[in-house]
Amino acid sequence: MELESPTATHHNYHLLPSAVALLLGFVLLYILRSNLKTRRKSKETARKCINNSGADGLQLTESDGSTDVIIVGAGVAGAALACTLAKDGRRVHVIERDLTEPDRIVGELLQPGGYLKLIELGLEDCVDGIEAQQVFGYAIYMDDRNTKLSYPLEKFESDISGRSFHNGRFIQRMREKAASLPNVKLEQGTVTSLLEEDGTVKGVCYKTKDGQVMTAYAPLTIVCDGCFSNLRRALCKPKVEVPSCFVGLVLENIDLPYANHGHVILADPSPILFYPISNTEVRCLVDVPGQKVPSIANGEMANYLKTVVAPQIPAELYDAFVAAVDKGNIRTMPNRSMPADPQPTPGALLMGDAFNMRHPLTGGGMTVALSDIVLLRDLLRPLSNLNDAATLCNYLECFYTLRKPVSSTINTLAGALYKVFCASPDPARKEMRKACFDYLSLGGICSQGPISLLSGLNPRPLVLFLHFFAVAIYGVGRLLIPFPSPKRLWLGARLISGASGIIFPIIKSEGVRQMFFPATVPAYYKDPRVA
């Protein structure tokens, strides 16, 4: 048997220690690499902020951690929310892209239900001193007929009504009120991203007015940056539709046929709105279906308004309308619709048009936003400390569920009414449109029920559902009297089918269970304090 040489034995003796040393080296390298990754991850968001802002070379400055709530955006929702939370003792940091007075053609009509919420928030004085006009109902025009629908305000004090105004003036009043509170910091800046750590939003990265990149931290960040939000994708799965565009004009020194009422003209192809926004001005909004509108620059829009729209305007408003077109201050705004589809995220919440939009035909947007603020205020009041992310997340889940009956009713009404009020070559849709006008003209419960929904005074899903199909059944009944011919029976069946095709997709997008059976959703009845 051949024996190993001494040299070979020596090499084998060192083989095991070498392998152990190599293994320990790999382990040490892995640990160092993991630590390096952890340190890099903690700085990753800040670096992204600098890169996204395009402000290379600027020093990132962090806040001192003395903020309870960061609010992104100071529009109607953001400014009202800042005032509300600050009054409850929260330290609020509001970051708004542009603090100059907005100039918009929407967000100018606050329904009575929204005004009641404004009172509940202690912000009713924000409609004082801006020439806000009281609104007591609507007048609806179709063909050569018209009918007046009054808000059911008999149970309320004399000053309870809708309010219409310049949107920018209203927002500036609320911003001034928020800025006057000692625990509100109102700052102009552009938020570029949310700061996240282990799936929890910790704050925001933003660029100040003078170009400095900053981070701000708070246990709760509320995104209210409006319909053009660049942050909503981080907190929900937005499905934004643009069914039409509004073309806005201002008619000067003209009295509406029905004083202190909104006017809706059921025109072809879609509705036209008139309502007062100051002592001497009347807003006109012409709905144009689709995402493209005639060009303003080359005169196509003026020609469209004069040749297609003007002949359908009531005679009392015709001259003022044409004069407004000739004056040339024509504005456009896309009408967006987006069901609320949140992804509950610890430390963050969506509100306002960043979260949920509906067609502005019914003027329900501000009512939904203010109702949401009242709900959120009441939910957060038991929480003295917002730093418990798990408990806070349970509260926010309750918010998403509890808001549904009110918001879904207003959203569904807006979408359904817009489709019913638009002209259509389909005979069944024509009958539905006529039936709706005639049903509202009947008075009594037939007008009070729908107008109580529209006003936000009685936003109940079941009431909406019943009245919508009451209109459809009323339309079928008219077709079958005096003789139900086969043609009329078929048209009646198509009318019911068309009505179902209008409302059921909207209800589905809003959530049938959340809308009609919220008590079956666990977050509805679960006490978030016991989480």
Side-chain angles (χ1 to χ4, degrees):
M1 184 175 179
E2 189 174 342
L3 297 174
E4 280 186 326
S5 68
T7 305
T9 303
H10 177 77
H11 283 303
N12 289 339
Y13 178 77
H14 288 287
L15 188 59
L16 182 60
S18 299
V20 172
L22 184 62
L23 180 61
L24 290 174
F26 275 117
V27 171
L28 181 61
L29 181 63
Y30 178 79
I31 293 171
L32 291 173
R33 183 180 177 85
S34 298
N35 289 339
L36 181 61
K37 282 185 177 180
T38 302
R39 289 195 299 269
R40 284 178 177 172
K41 187 175 181 180
S42 66
K43 298 177 181 179
E44 183 179 355
T45 309
R47 289 175 179 171
K48 284 182 179 178
C49 291
I50 295 176
N51 292 334
N52 291 341
S53 67
D56 295 332
L58 292 179
Q59 184 177 0
L60 187 70
T61 307
E62 298 186 359
S63 68
D64 59 4
S66 61
T67 303
D68 295 316
V69 181
I70 294 170
I71 298 175
V72 181
V76 171
L81 184 61
C83 293
T84 302
L85 295 182
K87 288 177 182 178
D88 277 2
R90 311 288 185 187
R91 297 164 299 176
V92 181
H93 183 184
V94 186
I95 306 170
E96 163 59 36
R97 183 182 59 83
D98 185 358
L99 286 174
T100 59
E101 184 175 308
D103 184 14
R104 303 179 65 201
I105 63 171
V106 293
E108 297 174 317
L109 179 61
L110 179 64
Q111 296 288 1
Y115 183 67
L116 287 174
K117 296 298 179 182
L118 202 68
I119 293 173
E120 196 170 344
L121 295 171
L123 297 173
E124 66 274 18
D125 58 340
C126 291
V127 297
D128 297 336
I130 60 172
E131 294 188 28
Q133 305 295 300
Q134 285 192 288
V135 178
F136 296 106
Y138 281 85
I140 302 179
Y141 287 71
M142 182 176 176
D143 299 329
D144 296 326
R145 299 181 297 155
N146 66 80
T147 186
K148 186 177 79 167
L149 308 175
S150 298
Y151 294 139
L153 300 173
E154 297 80 9
K155 298 184 295 183
F156 301 99
E157 297 177 5
S158 59
D159 76 323
I160 302 299
S161 65
R163 293 291 194 281
S164 54
F165 39 68
H166 280 273
N167 172 268
R169 296 177 187 176
F170 180 54
I171 288 175
Q172 287 301 91
R173 289 280 286 122
M174 287 203 291
R175 286 175 178 174
E176 291 166 6
K177 189 154 189 171
S180 69
L181 299 172
N183 48 339
V184 172
K185 178 183 178 182
L186 181 59
E187 182 178 9
Q188 183 163 312
T190 302
V191 175
T192 55
S193 61
L194 301 176
L195 301 176
E196 286 192 39
E197 184 179 315
D198 298 326
T200 299
V201 173
K202 297 293 186 178
V204 299
C205 179
Y206 66 102
K207 189 176 181 181
T208 64
K209 186 178 180 181
D210 60 5
Q212 188 177 13
V213 177
M214 304 280 285
T215 57
Y217 295 93
L220 178 59
T221 299
I222 304 177
V223 176
C224 308
D225 56 346
C227 61
F228 299 105
S229 173
N230 65 335
L231 300 176
R232 65 162 65 101
R233 289 187 180 276
L235 301 173
C236 74
K237 296 177 181 178
K239 298 175 183 177
V240 181
E241 295 182 1
V242 183
S244 66
C245 294
F246 266 157
V247 179
L249 300 164
V250 173
L251 280 57
E252 298 178 336
N253 300 311
I254 183 73
D255 293 326
L256 289 168
Y258 294 92
N260 298 104
H261 281 67
H263 290 58
V264 183
I265 289 82
L266 303 188
D268 187 356
S270 51
I272 305 165
L273 306 179
F274 293 91
Y275 51 86
I277 55 173
S278 75
N279 295 336
T280 59
E281 297 166 302
V282 169
R283 169 66 71 196
C284 171
L285 293 174
V286 178
D287 186 86
V288 179
Q291 299 183 25
K292 294 184 178 180
V293 297
S295 171
I296 296 175
N298 64 14
E300 288 181 2
M301 178 62 77
N303 182 62
Y304 173 82
L305 294 174
K306 285 184 176 181
T307 59
V308 177
V309 178
Q312 303 181 74
I313 299 292
E316 304 95 317
L317 303 174
Y318 180 87
D319 291 339
F321 178 83
V322 172
V325 175
D326 289 338
K327 190 174 181 180
N329 187 20
I330 302 172
R331 309 269 304 280
T332 61
M333 178 74 179
N335 295 324
R336 290 172 167 79
S337 177
M338 186 184 77
D341 187 18
Q343 296 178 155
T345 305
L349 185 73
L350 274 168
M351 291 194 76
D353 284 349
F355 173 47
N356 185 203
M357 293 180 282
R358 76 291 308 150
H359 196 285
L361 173 69
T362 58
M366 288 188 287
T367 300
V368 171
L370 295 171
S371 177
D372 283 352
I373 292 169
V374 170
L375 174 60
L376 182 64
R377 177 200 64 183
D378 294 344
L379 273 175
L380 292 182
R381 272 182 171 168
L383 273 178
S384 57
N385 181 11
L386 300 180
N387 286 289
D388 185 345
T391 302
L392 179 61
C393 193
N394 287 333
Y395 277 74
L396 301 186
E397 284 184 24
C398 288
F399 167 78
Y400 286 134
T401 303
L402 291 168
R403 70 179 296 275
K404 266 296 182 179
V406 173
S407 64
S408 295
T409 302
I410 293 173
N411 295 345
T412 304
L413 178 67
L417 268 187
Y418 176 70
K419 290 184 177 181
V420 171
F421 281 176
C422 283
S424 172
D426 182 357
R429 289 285 295 273
K430 286 183 179 179
E431 286 296 329
M432 184 70 177
R433 193 188 198 203
K434 292 177 182 177
C436 186
F437 178 86
D438 290 343
Y439 182 85
L440 294 173
S441 302
L442 292 174
I445 192 174
C446 297
S447 62
Q448 289 181 1
I451 201 68
S452 70
L453 292 164
L454 182 68
S455 64
L457 296 172
N458 185 33
R460 296 184 182 179
L462 186 59
V463 174
L464 167 62
F465 187 83
L466 292 175
H467 276 287
F468 186 82
F469 277 100
V471 170
I473 293 168
Y474 174 74
V476 172
R478 296 194 317 167
L479 288 171
L480 301 184
I481 295 173
F483 301 109
S485 66
K487 181 179 179 181
R488 287 173 172 267
L489 281 169
W490 174 242
L491 188 58
R494 288 183 57 200
L495 193 157
I496 294 291
S497 175
S500 301
I502 288 173
I503 197 167
F504 284 131
I506 302 174
I507 291 175
K508 182 181 178 182
S509 68
E510 290 291 333
V512 176
R513 184 183 178 191
Q514 293 90 337
M515 187 171 174
F516 289 97
F517 310 104
T520 67
V521 181
Y524 182 90
Y525 54 80
K526 178 178 66 181
D527 184 355
R529 285 168 289 186
V530 186

